[in-house]
Amino acid sequence: MSTGDKRIYIFDTTLRDGEQSPGVNLNMEEKLALAQQLARLGVDVIEAGFPIASSGDFKAVQRIAREIKGPVITALARTSEQDIRAAYEAVKDAEKPRIHTFIATSEIHMQRKLRKTKEEVKEMAVKAVKLAKSLVDDVEFSAEDASRSEIPFLCEIFTEVIAAGANVINIPDTVGYATPWEFGEFIKAIREGVPNISEAVISVHCHNDLGMAVANSLAAVRNGARQVEVAVNGIGERAGNASLEELVMAFYTRRHCLGFSTGINTREIYRTSRMVSILTGMPIQPNKAIVGKNAFAHESGIHQDGVLKERETYEIMNPEMVGISSNKLVLGKHSGRHAFKIQLQKLGYDLEGEALDKAFHEFKQLTDRKKEILDEDLIMLLDSHLLGSGEEVYVFDHLQLSSGTKISSTATVGIKIKEELIEEAACADGPVEATYKAMEKIVNLPVKLESYSISAVTEGKDAQGEVVVRVSVVGETFMGRGLSVDIIEASAKAYLNALNKIVRKHPDLIQ
Ligand code: KIV
Ligand code: ZN
């Protein structure tokens, strides 16, 4: 990257705003695994959570702060003393802790939601920043719904919070209402209207309600913003946040014209994206820029011909740049440990010792049921088995099924609970329903299946099926994921994965 490039700081909010996506509920191990991967990706800041929201959130932020080295670790807080002290307690052990405090500044939010005057809001913001600054050196202040706030008021509040010690002032387009040219002008007006702006970094946080979050972030950067708040795969509240991979690859691919650089290792993008999709249960649409299945696929004859003759005829980036391997080496029954390890390394997984033994064992088991093991199979296998999913109360043992077009389905399921094998059978119209009914007899939890989806991991009739379910219990939704060449087994594993998450979080529900 050219040395004259201006450095843009990547603030990742996948674990906070991203985790606010409907139905997403990550456990501690999953959050930690994701934070580790974000550090490997090279983000500058990880927003690890909102500690006051729950004790689970608090503990996860604390663990990330203690264990993840490299990026700044920040936590969100409203302006109340209680929120700020909770955020401080959670991040204080980080190598580089930051407190991120926010209050709404638009008329509609101040009048209708907060029922506060401008003066009161300003006072609360300044008081919060002063308190945060007395605890840590690095403080970020966000004016929620900034893009619908009055510019003179924003300039006033930003001037005062910078004087109170804020190092970063964040300008969110909270409801995704802005357009790029308007938002660019907006950032410029703030930059010019805040006399002490040189003492702080300008940050933006754009939502994607009108599909313009990335474009708005770019417009802001062009007008002086130097931190962008993003989420992997663009997940987040409602339509989500600006997508990390799109923004980073725009900076990289158009670096000669834009003149900005980031600290991201682009080769870790695809792996991070897969991990987020797997952990959140949010599939990536095939035509999603950068990481979608079709992002580098050339379908028409003219395009294929062009790419074969000269790649750049239709490719502005190459897949290897974002970590998509073009080497589709096929492994199988006779592949040894060495070939397996080499292939994992090519895919970005450096496993040794016990972790390698476990993965190799899983791989061998898969080769008994599937002839050709493709890269996608390996990635799925590794991500599902090596991501920390925590201790399992219910362990899948076996499944036996009788089903057909003219008979109802009968399933017999065996689940181990504390080493004791429990078996139940049930009948239903279809095999998945029969399996789930049998499992419900064993676990006896007050759950409701909210959604079920299935997809093939690779092409071919022998492809593994990946099942994702959402299961609700007392107003909370949990995602479960299962993988197998047998789709009913994948369905059972997905359901059990969700049930395990429920009882891990609510052990009191175990009967
Ligand atoms: O969208 C928003 O305004 C936010 C703030 C808390 C930064 O998420
Ligand atoms: Zn947001």
Side-chain angles (χ1 to χ4, degrees):
M1 210 157 285
S2 91
T3 45
D5 287 349
K6 295 182 197 88
R7 177 75 152 78
I8 300 299
Y9 297 102
I10 300 294
F11 175 118
D12 181 90
T13 187
T14 310
L15 285 165
R16 199 276 297 167
D17 214 317
E19 221 241 348
Q20 286 171 221
S21 308
V24 173
N25 200 333
L26 304 182
N27 66 33
M28 164 97 82
E29 309 300 326
E30 292 166 338
K31 286 181 184 176
L32 192 66
L34 186 50
Q36 255 150 6
Q37 179 57 26
L38 289 170
R40 207 175 293 135
L41 178 66
V43 304
D44 297 289
V45 185
I46 294 177
E47 186 165 50
F50 190 12
I52 199 76
S54 70
S55 78
D57 250 54
F58 179 92
K59 285 185 196 143
V61 176
Q62 191 175 52
R63 187 136 175 233
I64 289 169
R66 287 179 178 166
E67 294 185 28
I68 305 297
K69 306 294 171 210
V72 168
I73 307 294
T74 190
L76 189 65
R78 288 165 299 190
T79 51
S80 74
E81 179 169 349
Q82 214 194 2
D83 272 46
I84 291 175
R85 290 205 185 275
Y88 169 66
E89 287 302 322
V91 298
K92 70 177 182 195
D93 297 330
E95 202 176 52
K96 297 179 220 157
R98 175 184 291 179
I99 295 177
H100 176 194
T101 182
F102 77 101
I103 191 162
T105 50
S106 62
E107 282 299 329
I108 182 167
H109 277 237
M110 289 190 294
Q111 277 179 23
R112 302 290 163 87
K113 186 182 82 175
L114 300 174
R115 299 187 199 283
K116 300 277 181 210
T117 64
K118 281 182 180 162
E119 272 316 304
E120 285 169 325
V121 165
K122 208 163 60 181
E123 230 171 79
M124 289 161 80
V126 170
K127 202 169 152 217
V129 169
K130 279 189 178 155
L131 173 60
K133 194 72 181 184
S134 72
L135 302 168
V136 291
D137 284 340
D138 190 358
V139 176
E140 171 167 339
F141 170 75
S142 285
E144 193 192 8
D145 205 18
S147 57
R148 294 192 300 166
S149 306
E150 290 168 5
I151 292 179
F153 178 55
L154 281 177
C155 290
E156 246 176 75
I157 201 165
F158 285 144
T159 307
E160 295 202 18
V161 294
I162 293 172
N167 323 58
V168 181
I169 55 142
N170 184 36
I171 306 169
D173 180 24
T174 302
V175 290
Y177 183 67
T179 57
W181 47 93
E182 181 187 35
F183 199 56
E185 288 300 312
F186 193 77
I187 302 302
K188 185 165 174 249
I190 291 168
R191 186 163 52 87
E192 289 172 353
V194 175
N196 52 359
I197 197 71
S198 61
E199 293 166 38
V201 170
I202 301 176
S203 166
V204 289
H205 174 110
C206 297
H207 277 273
N208 205 31
D209 299 66
L210 293 172
M212 290 190 277
V214 169
N216 286 335
S217 306
L218 276 178
V221 164
R222 200 162 174 235
N223 284 283
R226 289 294 175 266
Q227 175 180 282
V228 284
E229 302 199 353
V230 292
V232 177
N233 298 341
I235 66 170
E237 280 277 4
R238 307 179 310 279
N241 288 79
S243 133
L244 179 149
E245 59 280 6
E246 291 176 22
L247 210 42
V248 165
M249 288 315 286
F251 287 132
Y252 183 74
T253 308
R254 303 305 312 275
R255 61 196 178 280
H256 302 303
C257 122
L258 296 173
F260 298 111
S261 68
T262 70
I264 295 293
N265 174 1
T266 61
R267 290 176 193 275
E268 288 291 333
I269 286 180
Y270 185 61
R271 183 170 170 194
T272 316
S273 160
R274 293 291 297 245
M275 189 188 237
V276 168
S277 172
I278 286 168
L279 288 180
T280 58
M282 292 175 80
I284 302 165
Q285 77 199 53
N287 61 329
K288 166 82 177 64
I290 318 295
V291 290
K293 195 165 165 258
N294 298 347
F296 295 96
H298 302 280
E299 187 68 22
S300 85
I302 296 173
H303 287 210
Q304 287 175 351
D305 178 55
V307 169
L308 286 172
K309 286 177 175 146
E310 172 62 62
R311 215 167 167 167
E312 282 178 21
T313 50
Y314 289 101
E315 269 187 18
I316 58 163
M317 301 166 273
N318 66 55
E320 289 82 11
M321 238 176 232
V322 295
I324 299 174
S325 144
S326 60
N327 174 1
K328 297 278 175 204
L329 185 76
V330 177
L331 297 180
K333 212 179 178 65
H334 303 292
S335 304
R337 205 182 148 85
H338 185 65
F340 176 71
K341 191 178 169 190
I342 298 286
Q343 189 59 8
L344 293 194
Q345 277 168 346
K346 283 191 189 139
L347 294 172
Y349 297 81
D350 226 340
L351 301 189
E352 295 290 347
E354 224 180 283
L356 180 63
D357 291 346
K358 189 174 174 218
F360 188 61
H361 177 69
E362 302 276 357
F363 161 73
K364 278 290 174 190
Q365 278 187 329
L366 185 58
T367 60
D368 284 341
R369 302 176 83 179
K370 189 172 189 287
K371 225 166 116 207
E372 293 184 333
I373 311 294
L374 305 174
D375 286 350
E376 285 86 349
D377 291 312
L378 286 182
I379 292 170
M380 277 290 178
L381 183 143
L382 288 161
D383 283 348
S384 50
H385 291 280
L386 299 176
L387 286 178
S389 53
E391 193 209 334
E392 293 195 332
V393 175
Y394 308 118
V395 180
F396 177 77
D397 191 81
H398 64 268
L399 166 69
Q400 195 181 330
L401 204 67
S402 136
S403 190
T405 50
K406 293 198 173 157
I407 54 162
S408 59
S409 302
T410 307
T412 304
V413 180
I415 291 175
K416 276 188 178 161
I417 305 178
K418 291 189 189 142
E419 295 298 316
E420 186 192 348
L421 180 62
I422 304 177
E423 199 174 66
E424 283 288 354
C427 292
D429 290 334
V432 175
E433 192 189 359
T435 303
Y436 284 7
K437 274 185 164 175
M439 291 168 76
E440 278 157 16
K441 283 188 188 172
I442 299 173
V443 299
N444 201 13
L445 292 172
V447 295
K448 183 169 170 236
L449 179 68
E450 298 288 352
S451 70
Y452 171 99
S453 66
I454 182 161
S455 55
V457 172
T458 55
E459 279 131 37
K461 281 187 240 134
D462 68 343
Q464 294 193 87
E466 184 196 13
V467 173
V468 174
V469 294
R470 285 185 199 285
V471 177
S472 67
V473 63
V474 287
E476 244 183 295
T477 308
F478 292 79
M479 187 277 295
R481 207 178 138 270
L483 195 65
S484 173
V485 286
D486 177 329
I487 58 172
I488 309 300
E489 184 181 327
S491 306
K493 286 181 171 169
Y495 202 44
L496 209 59
N497 182 229
L499 299 177
N500 270 314
K501 287 184 182 174
I502 292 172
V503 293
R504 223 178 287 135
K505 188 157 182 202
H506 301 287
D508 49 303
L509 289 174
I510 301 175
Q511 313 239 339

